[in-house]
Amino acid sequence: MFLLQVLIVLLLIVASVTALLLQSRSDRFQGARDRSVAAAEAFAHSPGLVAALRGPDPSAVLQPLTEAARKRAGVDFIVVMNRAGIRYTHPKPEQIGKHFVGTIGPSLAGHVTIESVVGPLGHEVQAVVPVRDARGTVVGLVSAGMRVSRVSSAVDRQLPVVLGAGAAALALTTAGTALVTRRLRRQTHGLGPVEMTRMYEHHDAVLHAVREGVLIVDADGRVLLANDEARRLLGLSPDVEGHRVTDLGLAPRTAELLVSGRVVTDEVLQVGDLLLAVNIRHTDPRGGPSGTVATLRDSTELLALAGKAEAAQSRLRLLYEATVAIGTTLDVRQTAEELTRVAADRFADYATVDLAEPVLAGEEPPAGAYSEAPELRRVALSGLPEDHPLYRVGELHRYTVPNPMATGFITGRSVLVPDLRDAEEWRAQEPERFERALEHGCRSLITVPLRARGVLMGVANFWRSRDNTPFEEGDLSLADEMAARAAVCIDNARRFTREHAMAVTLQESLLPRGMPEQDALDLAHRYLPAQTGVGGDWFDVIPLPGARVALVVGDVVGHGLHAAATMGRLRTAVQNFSSLDLPPDELLSHLDELVHRIDHEVTGADDEATVAGATCLYAIYDPAAGRCTMARAGHLPPALVHPDGTVEYPDLPAGPPLGVGSLPFEALDLHLPEGSSLVLYTDGLVEGRNHDIDTGMQNLATTLAQRGRTPDEICETVLSALPPARQRDDIALLAARTHLLDPDRIAEWEVPSDPAAVAEARANITRQLAQWDLDEMAFATELILSELITNAILYATGPLRVRLLHDRTLICEVSDTSSTSPHLRYAAEEDEGGRGLFLVAQLAERWGTRYTPEGKIIWAEQTLH
């Protein structure tokens, strides 16, 4: 009866729904026709359509317009065609140019045609509308339509509503039967006896097999279910069901959590030696009985694994920090200090580093195994107070065997002492120091040899106090990693120290060992090599004929041995060029050509070699005239300190650096009052990371602005005030205070270009030497000047001038307007002349020629008796 009743109701519902659907479908179909006609009419009467149809390319103009109109109108297509039915537009571009599928005759006559056809898009409902021009003539057609399938799908979307209404009616008719069967469904969940039995068997098997405890508690706090894992984790008896949780003998916190009724997610609960992750949820979110279900998961091992993972991550972080912090400089001591600081911050309580003496000097310790620990010097210590019992920084010591540090150094392997109190052999060997270390709190030790590239350089010691956990085997690998990183950095610093020392030694060996004897200038100099590499800076003081002195300062591009060697070549070249008595600008031109050749030699031998460019300042001071002539090649200008203490930088043309070539150099003449100071320097003095060269030169001028300082005082003051704490470039400093030659020590005459004037010149010379109390030199001097004057009269033109200078030597000079230089040659037996210069060379200490803008000067020097 129940099934028959349901069948009758279903038939009535189906009939009603069918009639409703047919009516709804008819209405929808009519609506689709109306939308097609409206879309076609609207587009057929759109402005510009007739013009587009008569245009050269209707499809290019109308295709995007019809597609936009189609999408807005909600139809499947809008097609524009000519009177022959050839399409100008279509949703499928490949259909453009083909005949329209449908009836167009009535529309050509001016009527609207509506029909159902099978076109390119399928079964379609379409309307064809004529397009008229201004005179009413049909010039084209517009068709719009929709697919039948789309009309049907629109109707089908209404079907769920109709079916829902029918289902509601069916539900009302079956409500009585549903009330009858409700109780049965709640008890069996729609399952039969066999299915119910199988379900409960599977439930029990899964519940008691899982490795997660399940405990269900009702609203009164009684246990409804506890699986085997829950009983094991909580230590419950097999008959726990039905008992109150508070009566099970659980810890108060455990019992309170299980009966609290609150939602819990992964809360850690300690039960005995176990750590349980507890999750609690309510049992009634879906209409079930009120209560809670708790799941218990043993996370003791997971927690231990998490602890190990965290420890490993911490060690990785420490290694990363050590990699970043260790080796920031190429300094052995600084690198050792960086290792101890990193270790004392994160790994140990105290850390020390001891290195062999050769390592600190940049040398390599002897290779091979050691029978005993060598003398080591403590270079770094961190984490210890002032009153610690360990060796102090800078202290030289020798570890005694079987001290763990000595054992580690001799064997080359790390040594772990978890508890120093068990190191009985060490206690017996050094009882006093051992007891002091224990009293200070040292309890655990790792000593690691510092080895890199097969070179054993020292040991690193890591200590932990009694307030920290002892070292373990896992800590040994971390200590090895840190020490290995530090050992490589220390070895790099050691090798750099050796190369730096070699470069400094070479550089200093190539610099002047002392100042030449002369009376024109008071001199002082300083040279400071860079802390990170020798830069090739140099200076020089070169005595010149006529009591003059040349001052030189220069800077070679680059650092290291190459720069030092290039500096030596340039200094030698300057000395050689100065012996030619060239003006400063000409000397720099010759030096520039030399550097250019050196560059070609270097690049020809090795394409990767650096260019040997350089800067140079060359100045010549003449104490007789108080004049200084100088030129520079890319170098900084000198500082001129006047006698009153004012400082200026002469406006000296810069000139290109040496090695650039093809550009001339310009010289500048300055008159220097007696007591003026000329300060020559390299850029390492005024250039720094925190300021530019202009600021450095202003600071130098401020430092020099004081009167009455000696050259030594100038050097000390400048070097104490200007160089940076971390000097990155060489500094060469040369200070010179000027003197003028006493006018009473200068004698000068003009000699006519007549052989008869030689006798008068000799008489003048004799009288002048008598005034200077140099009568014993009169004969040789008369002979020298007679030969020089005679040569000038014979081979030169214009007036002659003779000058005597009484300085450390007696200087005789004869100047004329000729640029022809005399030279020694062997005279044949029949030659009447050619022997005068031999006499000059024999009587004088040295002689030579220098050129002036007006001609030349032939000079000769005699030592004073």
Side-chain angles (χ1 to χ4, degrees), residues 552-594:
V552 190
V553 66
D555 185 1
V556 175
V557 173
H559 294 80
L561 293 174
H562 175 73
T566 304
M567 179 274 292
R569 297 179 67 177
L570 295 183
R571 178 172 177 247
T572 302
V574 171
Q575 290 180 334
N576 291 335
F577 290 144
S578 65
S579 66
L580 301 177
D581 216 342
L582 299 174
D585 51 341
E586 293 185 21
L587 184 143
L588 291 181
S589 297
H590 288 287
L591 198 62
D592 175 68
E593 184 179 353
L594 173 64

Side-chain angles (χ1 to χ4, degrees), residues 750-782:
E750 186 169 335
V751 179
S753 183
D754 183 0
V758 176
E760 183 180 355
R762 294 178 63 176
N764 292 335
I765 292 167
T766 303
R767 287 194 297 272
Q768 186 62 53
L769 292 180
Q771 293 179 10
W772 290 342
D773 295 328
L774 299 176
D775 301 277
E776 69 277 7
M777 301 181 64
F779 176 75
T781 305
E782 289 178 7

Side-chain angles (χ1 to χ4, degrees), residues 13 161-174:
I13 293 173
V161 178
V162 178
L163 292 178
L170 181 60
L172 291 175
T173 61
T174 58

Side-chain angles (χ1 to χ4, degrees), residues 406-721:
T407 303
F409 192 91
I410 294 172
T411 62
R413 295 189 297 271
S414 302
V415 177
L416 168 64
V417 184
D419 193 339
L420 289 177
R421 292 171 294 186
D422 298 334
E424 296 298 334
E425 294 181 349
W426 186 12
R427 184 196 299 268
Q429 193 72 28
E430 296 180 287
E432 183 179 353
R433 183 175 293 276
F434 184 85
E435 292 300 332
R436 289 175 56 198
L438 290 182
E439 291 175 2
H440 188 76
C442 299
R443 281 294 181 271
S444 188
L445 167 67
I446 291 179
T447 180
V448 184
L450 297 173
R451 180 193 298 271
R453 303 179 182 93
V455 178
L456 189 59
M457 298 175 290
V459 292
N461 305 313
F462 307 103
W463 306 78
R464 281 186 181 173
S465 66
R466 53 174 169 253
D467 299 328
N468 203 342
T469 57
F471 285 119
E472 302 173 349
E473 287 291 336
D475 297 318
L476 193 60
S477 60
L478 179 58
D480 286 340
E481 289 289 341
M482 285 195 298
R485 165 66 181 170
V488 172
C489 295
I490 290 173
D491 188 55
N492 290 339
R494 175 192 64 80
R495 296 166 68 185
F496 172 79
T497 300
R498 180 184 60 190
E499 295 180 3
H500 180 68
M502 292 172 58
V504 170
T505 302
L506 175 61
Q507 176 92 345
E508 292 179 345
S509 68
L510 296 174
L511 290 173
R513 297 297 181 90
M515 292 291 97
E517 294 182 355
Q518 46 80 39
D519 293 330
L521 299 167
D522 291 335
L523 296 168
H525 62 86
R526 298 291 187 274
Y527 171 72
L528 298 180
Q531 298 178 5
T532 56
V534 176
D537 293 15
W538 92 93
F539 64 91
D540 212 343
V541 178
I542 305 172
L544 297 177
R548 297 168 305 137
V549 178
L551 303 177
V552 190
V553 66
D555 185 1
V556 175
V557 173
H559 294 80
L561 293 174
H562 175 73
T566 304
M567 179 274 292
R569 297 179 67 177
L570 295 183
R571 178 172 177 247
T572 302
V574 171
Q575 290 180 334
N576 291 335
F577 290 144
S578 65
S579 66
L580 301 177
D581 216 342
L582 299 174
D585 51 341
E586 293 185 21
L587 184 143
L588 291 181
S589 297
H590 288 287
L591 198 62
D592 175 68
E593 184 179 353
L594 173 64
V595 173
H596 191 65
R597 288 202 305 269
I598 293 175
D599 287 344
H600 280 288
E601 292 174 3
V602 171
T603 54
D606 185 357
D607 292 337
E608 297 182 358
T610 56
V611 177
T615 64
C616 183
L617 171 65
Y618 187 83
I620 297 177
Y621 176 68
D622 185 356
R627 184 177 69 250
C628 182
T629 305
M630 62 183 70
R632 61 181 177 132
H635 203 83
L636 297 174
L640 177 59
V641 184
H642 292 279
D644 60 358
T646 58
V647 180
E648 67 168 323
Y649 292 101
D651 189 15
L652 177 61
L658 298 176
V660 175
S662 73
L663 294 175
F665 299 95
E666 298 183 49
L668 175 69
D669 282 337
L670 293 176
H671 178 74
L672 302 183
E674 186 170 13
S676 301
S677 293
L678 201 61
V679 180
L680 286 68
Y681 54 92
T682 55
D683 57 1
L685 180 67
V686 294
E687 187 176 22
R689 300 184 64 181
N690 300 326
H691 60 267
D692 56 15
I693 290 183
D694 292 338
T695 303
M697 293 176 66
Q698 292 176 4
N699 296 337
L700 175 61
T702 303
T703 305
L704 293 174
Q706 184 174 336
R707 59 184 301 176
R709 283 183 180 151
T710 65
D712 258 321
E713 292 173 342
I714 289 176
C715 291
E716 290 298 327
T717 303
V718 168
L719 293 184
S720 63

Side-chain angles (χ1 to χ4, degrees), residues 103-169:
T103 303
I104 63 173
S107 299
L108 292 174
H111 303 289
V112 176
T113 303
I114 300 174
E115 59 182 348
S116 177
V117 298
V118 177
L121 300 178
H123 189 195
E124 305 163 344
V125 176
Q126 62 186 18
V128 182
V129 177
V131 179
R132 301 176 187 271
D133 60 7
R135 294 178 294 179
T137 303
V138 176
V139 297
L141 303 175
V142 175
S143 177
M146 299 179 65
R147 294 190 303 267
V148 174
S149 58
R150 184 174 176 187
V151 175
S152 299
S153 63
V155 175
D156 292 340
R157 285 193 296 270
Q158 305 299 323
L159 185 60
V161 178
V162 178
L163 292 178

Side-chain angles (χ1 to χ4, degrees), residues 318 321 338-351 382-383:
L318 176 57
E321 292 176 2
E338 290 168 349
L339 170 61
T340 59
R341 283 199 299 268
V342 171
D345 287 343
R346 296 281 304 277
F347 179 64
D349 293 317
Y350 329 125
S382 295

Side-chain angles (χ1 to χ4, degrees), residues 175-331:
T177 306
L179 292 174
V180 174
T181 58
R182 181 179 179 182
R183 182 176 180 84
L184 182 60
R185 287 181 178 276
R186 289 186 61 185
Q187 292 179 350
T188 65
H189 297 283
L191 299 177
V194 177
E195 289 82 0
M196 290 292 295
T197 302
R198 186 180 298 113
M199 184 193 70
Y200 279 114
E201 290 175 350
H202 292 170
H203 173 269
D204 288 342
V206 173
L207 186 64
H208 295 288
V210 295
R211 292 297 304 273
E212 189 167 331
V214 178
L215 189 72
I216 301 177
V217 181
D218 63 13
D220 296 330
R222 295 181 182 275
V223 178
L224 299 181
L225 183 145
N227 68 347
D228 294 343
E229 185 68 7
R231 295 190 184 100
R232 184 185 72 82
L233 295 176
L234 297 176
L236 303 177
S237 60
D239 58 346
V240 69
E241 284 84 356
H243 293 80
R244 291 183 178 275
V245 174
T246 55
D247 298 335
L248 299 179
L250 299 174
R253 183 171 180 269
T254 303
E256 186 274 330
L257 180 62
L258 295 176
V259 300
S260 63
R262 58 189 176 90
V263 176
V264 173
T265 301
D266 288 336
E267 183 169 332
V268 178
L269 185 68
Q270 185 166 4
V271 179
D273 296 333
L274 303 179
L275 291 175
L276 305 182
V278 181
N279 290 273
I280 300 177
R281 297 292 185 271
H282 293 290
T283 58
D284 56 356
R286 299 181 180 178
S290 61
T292 57
V293 56
T295 59
L296 313 170
R297 185 173 64 254
D298 187 359
S299 61
T300 307
E301 295 181 358
L302 293 177
L303 189 63
L305 290 175
K308 292 180 180 178
E310 185 178 356
Q313 189 176 20
S314 176
R315 291 177 179 178
L316 288 176
R317 284 197 301 268
L318 176 57
L319 282 178
Y320 171 77
E321 292 176 2
T323 301
V324 173
I326 298 174
T328 59
T329 66
L330 288 172
D331 183 85

